[in-house]
Amino acid sequence: MRELTQTEAIDLVGRFEAEQEIPEQMRADVRMLGSLLGQVLRESGSPGLYDDVERLRIATIQAYTDETPEAFARAAAIADSFTVERADEVARAFTAYFHLVNLAEEHQRVRVLRERDGRPDRERATDSVAAAFMRLAAEVGDDTALARLQALRFHPVFTAHPTEARRRAVSTSIRRLAALLEEHDASLRNGADQRRAERRMLEEIDTLWRTAPLRPEKPSPTDEVRAVMAVFDDTLFTAIPHVYRRVDDALQGPAAGGRAPVVRPFVRVGSWVGGDRDGNPFVTASVTRTAAKIASEHVLLGLERAASRIGRTLTLDATTTPPSAALVALWQRLAAADDEAAAEIAKRSPNEPHRRIMLLLARKLTATRERDADLAYRDPEQFLADLRIVQDSLVRAGAARQAYGHLQQLLWQVETYGFHLTELEVRQHSAVHAKVLAELDAAGPRSEQTEEVLDVFRSIAFLQERYGPRAAGRYVVSFTQSADDLAAVHRLARYAAGPDGDVPVLDVVPLFETFADLQAAPRILAEIVQHPAFAERLTATGRRLEVMLGYSDSSKDVGPVAANLALYEAQAAIAAWAQEQGIELTLFHGRGGALGRGGGPANSAILAQPPHSVDGRFKLTEQGEVIFARYGDPAIAMRHIDQVAAAILLASSPSNEERNRAAAERYASVAATLDEASRARFFSLVKAPGFAPWFARVTPMEEVGLLALGSRPARRGLSVESLEDLRAIPWVFAWTQARINLAGWFGLGTALEAVGDEQLLQRAYDEWPLLRTLIDNVAMSLAKADDRIARHYLELGDRDDLAALVREEMSLTRSWVIRVTGGTELLGNKPVLQRAVKMRSPYVDALSLLQLRALRALRDTPEGAPVDPEQQRLLLLSVSGVAAGLQNTG
């Protein structure tokens, strides 16, 4: 097939872009950023690089649009023709391009959100908390709806699972580019120096190009803690109180800010970063203490700055805004403890009592951060009490706007974050506890592992004493298989405390992960609530109980379809048991970013939950690249939180619960068929003799383990002889890299075929939220897959039978998903998502072709011969680039 002329290439790219119907402003951003990257490549000092990148780009676009074997073969031949050094440069160029496209898409989302926020009907957005409140009130009445709003709880838990493929240095460069793109927009609006803005972007893109895309070594757990802190500093500290403010503005209208808010803080942020030691030997008790210390320093510094800022602006004269008696008494108490500072502040703020107080409170926060015992706050409740005295004094003096303005936002921040910022959770495997307890009960010498496990409990006690009981205390037990697994935690805590020590306050959280454990969950819970220590804590919390469900291992255990159905049934059974026992249940969803690990839109998943399984409370893990995608930009973070909170509020509405209950009953026989057929199909693949080594050969699974993604090891053993050896994250990540995405869809086609009735399935898709969510997620997973590229990966193995099985199921699933959703192609009913996938696909193809040539060379290395480090580097570069292009990895 001949190479296109320049005119033909320009026409091809123009037609491809036009077909995607990209918004004009976003199209302009992509073109500008792409043009600047092209200039950087031409100036890179590598002759011909830009031309080679363009050759491959045009070829993959032609292969994507023509869908002919000849066009695809030509693109593959171009990728194969490069030297390893040139292929390395081309892979880096495409990866940089994806970072820029992702930035342009994020910028467009922010642009749209801001335009919507500027309209007077903003509060009537159909998926906002305010809109959800109105809908709920129409069903249950204003008073009940308000009570539910004020009891609402959204609890994201950040984890450090190794799914964020890009370096922190790259992320930082992209954030700088985001700010420059904002400046560029402003220059277009205001007629300012547009060329200056573009010059600065060119400089930053050059920095991005020259920054090594691969980490030289794995990050330490402390590095991972600091990465999460960047999200807090940049967005969450201010974004979450702004969400509260927006909801209150919508509900109270013009009176908002002039009277007490009706909204109570409904977000709590948890973290496993520095606390999750299941399978990670690098997370020690010392690391856990360090993680809590870093988080506390960040939040105290944020609170200190906010208090100082409010103090500097609260220049209210005592004659117009007289202090209350309580405020005067507070000043006297603070001044007595910090007399020199009080005298200086009084001199600078004459007759401004509220300002004086706030400036002294800021000093107390500084003392708290620096561990100055004479001035430090004992706990956040003490600080909240002082702030409420200030707020009450302002209200009494008629300054309600000052009382419920920025001061109210500071109160919300303290109520949300305390002095600890994130509620640090510990996780450990039940088998580790059993081993340590056996050693302790034998009363022999204690091993290093035993001392470390006991030190974790001492660390929890220390953190609770220093930062308050909310700072730490949840203890998640992985692979909970019996009530004894949970009771073991309390026994270990007593061993750690010794005869005279204090046992920390512990909320022990069972984690049910495998299919069998999910089925056994109600029985295990019924047993554990009879345990004395567990029952005592249950009483102390007002019969509150948290239960965690694992999406990853259950999906790897029985396949994505059966796992989704099993998770629904487990939630329904646990929720029914909790209702009978009078227990306030919170289900903790261990979802990953990828669809094979429970990923996908959270709000639609929430609305598909069984009756009483949400009840105004929703907790989930946020992992890897998802953290930065959802919380990296303030506008997007606020929108995400607003959408999720709205779904939580509506999930327990009578209409939604009745819809889910009725659909589950109506389509029970369909569910049974889907479960049986999908599981049998999944087992025919993963239980086939030699499957695990074949999987390791046809995907870059082994090489993924070489990427310095996170501190946690990728697998449980030294080799992969069975699926049990492999963690769920690389299982999903490897299939994603091979453009097969098998973990997100395999078995659904056979399951839908087993039902066979197309009209019945279309009705079920319309009426049954669980099936709709499952099929929509599969559609996205398949849209990001590519049958042509997948075939080349599968050919790396020597099992034609397994390769044929995968390709047949992919084709069958694609066909049935399109028919059930009523379209002509995947994601036809979700045009915005479809556009985003199509826009990226040919560029991802280019990186996949480079990855394939590297993987083929590595697989052809004779046994015992040294691995070519250049080919290995090329493969790892392509892995990073494909992850950036597909935007969900593991």
Side-chain angles (χ1 to χ4, degrees):
M1 188 174 185
R2 71 174 180 84
E3 189 169 336
L4 297 181
T5 66
Q6 185 176 7
T7 301
E8 289 172 331
I10 292 172
D11 181 61
L12 173 69
V13 173
R15 281 187 283 110
F16 172 71
E17 290 181 350
E19 288 171 2
Q20 311 318 314
E21 299 180 358
I22 303 170
E24 189 52 45
Q25 288 175 301
M26 180 179 166
R27 187 196 304 271
D29 288 341
V30 171
R31 283 179 173 170
M32 177 188 65
L33 293 168
S35 175
L36 293 175
L37 176 61
Q39 185 174 342
V40 166
L41 296 180
R42 285 191 292 269
E43 296 173 355
S44 67
S46 181
L49 172 59
Y50 174 78
D51 293 334
D52 283 343
V53 169
E54 280 296 284
R55 282 174 60 222
L56 184 57
R57 181 172 83 99
I58 299 301
T60 52
I61 291 176
Q62 187 177 20
Y64 183 77
T65 54
D66 289 0
E67 296 185 351
T68 61
E70 295 79 12
F72 183 83
R74 181 174 173 275
I78 292 173
D80 289 344
S81 72
F82 298 142
T83 64
V84 178
E85 294 80 4
R86 177 48 53 89
D88 183 303
E89 292 176 316
V90 172
R92 287 174 54 210
F94 275 96
T95 302
Y97 176 77
F98 277 129
H99 291 318
L100 298 178
V101 169
N102 293 344
L103 171 62
E105 191 172 61
E106 180 182 282
H107 188 63
Q108 178 65 16
R109 287 182 64 196
V110 171
R111 187 184 280 134
V112 170
L113 289 174
R114 286 177 179 164
E115 289 173 358
R116 190 204 66 185
D117 289 347
R119 295 198 296 267
D121 63 343
R122 170 176 60 82
E123 65 273 16
R124 291 195 291 274
T126 57
D127 53 358
S128 67
V129 172
F133 176 83
M134 300 302 180
R135 287 176 59 187
L136 184 63
E139 292 190 40
V140 301
D142 289 350
D143 291 344
T144 301
L146 182 60
R148 292 189 183 183
L149 173 65
Q150 293 182 336
L152 183 70
R153 181 59 52 86
F154 171 45
H155 195 151
V157 178
F158 294 164
T159 80
H161 283 308
T163 59
E164 172 60 271
R166 68 188 184 192
R167 289 182 60 202
R168 187 177 171 189
V170 171
S171 300
T172 303
S173 179
I174 293 168
R175 293 261 64 86
R176 290 195 298 265
L177 271 169
L180 291 172
L181 201 52
E182 289 276 1
E183 290 183 24
H184 182 263
D185 274 6
S187 74
L188 294 178
R189 290 192 302 269
N190 304 329
D193 189 352
Q194 180 182 345
R195 293 189 64 180
R196 175 178 174 273
E198 291 183 3
R199 177 188 59 75
R200 293 178 64 199
M201 279 193 282
L202 183 63
E203 178 185 347
E204 191 58 55
I205 291 171
D206 190 56
T207 298
L208 177 65
W209 163 251
R210 294 174 185 278
T211 299
L214 300 177
R215 297 181 181 95
E217 56 187 26
K218 283 182 175 288
S220 70
T222 304
D223 294 332
E224 292 169 333
V225 172
R226 296 192 187 282
V228 170
M229 290 302 104
V231 175
F232 167 76
D233 292 340
D234 295 343
T235 61
L236 285 184
F237 185 67
T238 54
I240 289 177
H242 281 156
V243 173
Y244 303 153
R245 177 65 72 193
R246 285 185 174 186
V247 176
D248 201 62
D249 286 348
L251 295 181
Q252 297 214 73
R259 65 185 184 193
V262 297
V263 173
R264 294 176 184 168
F266 55 77
V267 179
R268 294 292 182 270
V269 181
S271 178
W272 280 9
V273 188
D276 180 12
R277 61 243 311 125
D278 177 12
N280 191 343
F282 306 109
V283 177
T284 62
S286 174
V287 165
T288 299
R289 291 192 295 270
T290 299
K293 181 175 182 290
I294 292 170
S296 179
E297 286 173 350
H298 277 258
V299 74
L300 284 169
L301 187 59
L303 295 174
E304 176 190 331
R305 288 170 175 168
S308 295
R309 188 166 55 249
I310 293 169
R312 289 194 300 272
T313 60
L314 210 58
T315 54
L316 313 180
D317 191 83
T319 56
T320 61
T321 317
S324 66
L327 192 85
V328 172
L330 176 58
W331 168 258
Q332 291 169 346
R333 175 165 57 82
L334 294 173
D338 195 6
D339 53 349
E340 290 184 11
E344 177 61 27
I345 288 171
K347 183 179 178 181
R348 288 190 284 112
S349 310
N351 216 32
E352 295 171 343
H354 297 91
R355 183 172 192 256
R356 293 178 181 182
I357 291 285
M358 289 305 302
L359 292 174
L360 277 183
L361 296 188
R363 280 184 53 81
K364 282 181 70 66
L365 288 172
T366 304
T368 306
R369 180 168 54 84
E370 295 176 350
R371 307 303 301 166
D372 179 350
D374 292 337
L375 286 179
Y377 278 112
R378 181 182 64 252
D379 51 43
E381 285 69 32
Q382 204 177 22
F383 179 44
L384 279 170
D386 288 350
L387 289 178
R388 290 188 176 117
I389 290 173
V390 178
Q391 187 177 57
D392 179 69
S393 177
L394 289 167
V395 171
R396 289 171 183 270
R401 291 289 172 189
Q402 283 70 34
Y404 300 121
H406 289 297
L407 180 61
Q408 178 60 52
Q409 294 200 186
L410 177 58
L411 279 156
W412 278 332
Q413 286 168 322
V414 181
E415 289 170 324
T416 299
Y417 299 119
F419 287 170
H420 56 277
L421 176 57
T422 60
E423 299 178 10
L424 188 60
E425 302 186 3
V426 169
R427 182 173 73 140
Q428 183 57 280
H429 200 289
S430 59
V432 173
H433 295 154
K435 180 181 177 183
V436 169
L437 272 176
E439 185 179 299
L440 290 168
D441 290 343
R446 295 182 177 181
S447 65
E448 184 178 340
Q449 182 184 44
T450 293
E451 289 295 350
E452 171 59 31
V453 167
L454 296 179
D455 200 22
V456 171
F457 290 95
R458 299 180 191 116
S459 294
I460 294 171
F462 169 78
L463 297 179
Q464 289 181 350
E465 181 181 355
R466 171 161 287 193
Y467 304 116
R470 278 178 53 198
R474 284 187 180 85
Y475 198 110
V476 180
V477 182
S478 298
F479 282 88
T480 296
Q481 296 180 320
S482 70
D484 288 343
D485 290 335
L486 303 175
V489 177
H490 292 288
R491 289 189 60 206
L492 287 166
R494 286 194 298 274
Y495 265 118
D500 303 318
D502 292 328
V503 175
V505 177
L506 292 172
D507 290 306
V508 182
V509 179
L511 169 50
F512 300 111
E513 299 180 80
T514 67
F515 179 73
D517 295 341
L518 288 169
Q519 291 186 312
R523 173 185 57 77
I524 295 170
L525 292 171
E527 291 177 18
I528 193 59
V529 294
Q530 305 302 320
H531 184 275
F534 211 94
E536 181 183 347
R537 181 59 184 159
L538 201 59
T539 301
T541 61
R543 295 189 69 74
R544 293 192 182 103
L545 177 65
E546 195 169 296
V547 175
M548 186 171 183
L549 305 172
Y551 285 64
S552 306
D553 282 280
S554 57
S555 182
K556 186 163 67 76
D557 198 22
V558 294
V561 179
N564 270 276
L565 294 169
L567 282 158
Y568 185 92
E569 291 300 322
Q571 290 176 72
I574 294 169
W577 169 82
Q579 285 279 105
E580 293 171 4
Q581 298 296 316
I583 287 172
E584 184 180 297
L585 174 71
T586 297
L587 287 174
F588 181 8
H589 301 261
R591 294 159 52 98
L595 301 174
R597 301 189 54 242
N603 49 335
S604 58
I606 293 167
L607 291 170
Q609 301 304 303
H612 300 296
S613 64
V614 178
D615 277 348
R617 300 172 297 279
F618 190 74
K619 183 176 179 182
L620 82 166
T621 52
E622 300 278 36
Q623 302 180 359
E625 77 283 346
V626 170
I627 295 174
F628 294 94
R630 290 178 177 167
Y631 303 99
D633 178 272
I636 292 173
M638 287 188 282
R639 173 65 171 153
H640 171 68
I641 294 167
D642 195 23
Q643 284 183 306
V644 172
I648 297 169
L649 200 57
L650 279 179
S652 303
S653 65
S655 61
N656 192 73
E657 291 202 332
E658 174 57 24
R659 180 189 182 197
N660 289 338
R661 184 198 60 75
E665 290 180 2
R666 188 180 309 125
Y667 296 108
S669 61
V670 173
T673 301
L674 294 174
D675 174 57
E676 183 179 353
S678 68
R679 200 181 325 174
R681 183 68 158 172
F682 185 74
F683 287 165
S684 72
L685 177 69
V686 301
K687 293 185 181 296
F691 169 78
W694 174 81
F695 159 64
R697 182 170 179 81
V698 301
T699 70
M701 189 278 295
E702 294 283 354
E703 289 74 16
V704 164
L706 300 175
L707 271 175
L709 296 181
S711 64
R712 194 172 184 231
R715 57 180 183 240
R716 296 184 173 96
L718 296 176
S719 64
V720 176
E721 295 300 327
S722 71
L723 280 187
E724 287 70 30
D725 297 327
L726 188 68
R727 295 193 182 281
I729 293 168
W731 160 254
V732 174
F733 201 172
W735 284 122
T736 304
Q737 287 290 319
R739 303 296 298 284
I740 298 171
N741 287 344
L742 179 143
W745 55 263
F746 193 87
L748 179 62
T750 294
L752 295 174
E753 179 90 355
V755 175
D757 188 331
E758 189 172 324
Q759 290 185 333
L760 172 64
L761 288 168
Q762 287 175 343
R763 284 200 308 275
Y765 177 76
D766 289 336
E767 298 173 3
W768 185 15
L770 177 66
L771 182 67
R772 187 180 191 90
T773 300
L774 173 63
I775 288 180
D776 285 349
N777 284 344
V778 166
M780 181 163 69
S781 187
L782 283 171
K784 293 184 178 185
D786 188 286
D787 182 66
R788 300 164 307 164
I789 291 174
R791 178 166 54 84
H792 286 277
Y793 277 94
L794 294 172
E795 287 172 353
L796 294 172
D798 55 0
R799 294 289 300 275
D800 292 344
D801 57 332
L802 298 182
L805 184 59
V806 171
R807 295 192 66 209
E808 287 167 9
E809 186 65 23
M810 180 186 282
S811 176
L812 185 63
T813 304
R814 180 181 285 110
S815 171
W816 268 105
V817 167
I818 292 171
R819 287 155 65 188
V820 170
T821 55
T824 58
E825 58 181 339
L826 292 169
L827 300 178
N829 58 342
K830 295 184 180 298
V832 175
L833 182 57
Q834 185 188 61
R835 180 191 74 209
V837 172
K838 284 187 172 183
M839 182 176 68
R840 287 174 171 78
S841 289
Y843 298 91
V844 180
D845 293 350
L847 283 162
S848 293
L849 291 173
L850 293 171
Q851 184 178 115
L852 263 168
R853 62 165 279 178
L855 191 60
R856 203 177 290 119
L858 292 171
R859 294 293 179 266
D860 290 343
T861 302
E863 190 171 348
V867 172
D868 184 340
E870 291 184 335
Q871 296 286 3
Q872 193 172 71
R873 173 180 161 79
L874 173 59
L875 187 135
L876 297 181
L877 282 170
S878 67
V879 166
S880 177
V882 170
L886 295 179
Q887 292 189 293
N888 52 11
T889 51

